[in-house]
């Protein structure tokens, strides 16, 4: 038996059911699996669930909680960040430097002093 906030509007043999929250829109659940919370607070998500939502076993996830006591896992996007060292910044400056002759031509074309 499934318990929790709201009422179950209907259960089909396929495992797809719709749960109506008190002040929420209907939420369609595509798959239900029973998992156990380990002693260290860890949960193993079954491979069938991961495949059904297109996740691999090493995907970063955001963990959210709701007022109803639900725990939501959502895919997170992680972008690599490079912290630039002083030599790396100097390298950027060298690569982006405008040669003096070109800078003088541009300033002359704009009617400004070099």
């Amino acid at each position: 038996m499934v318990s929790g906030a709201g009422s179950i509007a209907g259960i089909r043999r396929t495992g797809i059911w719709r749960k109506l929250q008190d002040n929420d829109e209907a939420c369609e659940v595509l798959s239900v699996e029973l998992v156990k919370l380990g002693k260290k607070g860890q949960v193993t998500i079954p491979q069938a669930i991961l495949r059904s939502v297109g996740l691999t076993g090493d995907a970063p996830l955001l963990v959210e909680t709701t007022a109803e006591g639900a725990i939501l896992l959502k895919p997170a996007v992680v972008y690599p960040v490079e912290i630039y060292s002083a030599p790396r910044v100097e390298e950027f400056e060298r690569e982006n430097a405008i040669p003096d002759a070109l800078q003088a031509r541009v300033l002359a074309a704009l009617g400004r002093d070099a």
Side-chain angles (χ1 to χ4, degrees):
M1 174 165 210
V2 178
S3 64
S7 61
I8 298 174
I11 298 177
R12 297 187 218 159
R13 285 187 173 175
T14 61
I16 299 173
W17 51 281
R18 188 173 290 273
K19 185 176 181 180
L20 300 176
Q21 300 292 333
D22 296 332
N23 295 321
D24 249 343
E25 295 180 20
C27 174
E28 189 169 0
V29 177
L30 300 177
S31 184
V32 177
E33 297 276 343
L34 181 63
V35 296
K36 184 178 177 183
L37 182 63
K39 291 179 182 179
K40 295 181 180 181
Q42 296 174 329
V43 174
T44 299
I45 302 171
Q47 284 291 327
I49 299 286
L50 294 174
R51 277 194 302 274
S52 73
V53 295
L55 292 175
T56 60
D58 61 349
L61 301 172
L62 295 174
V63 180
E64 297 178 4
T65 57
T66 67
E68 294 83 21
I71 299 171
L72 304 175
L73 299 176
K74 295 182 179 183
V77 179
V78 178
Y79 296 101
V81 175
E82 180 181 354
I83 298 177
Y84 302 123
S85 63
R88 184 79 166 127
V89 171
E90 290 171 7
E91 179 183 339
F92 290 143
E93 293 295 336
R94 279 192 309 276
E95 290 175 359
N96 293 329
I98 299 172
D100 291 337
L102 177 58
Q103 186 173 6
R105 283 184 30 215
V106 169
L107 291 174
L110 294 173
R112 299 184 186 162
D113 292 330

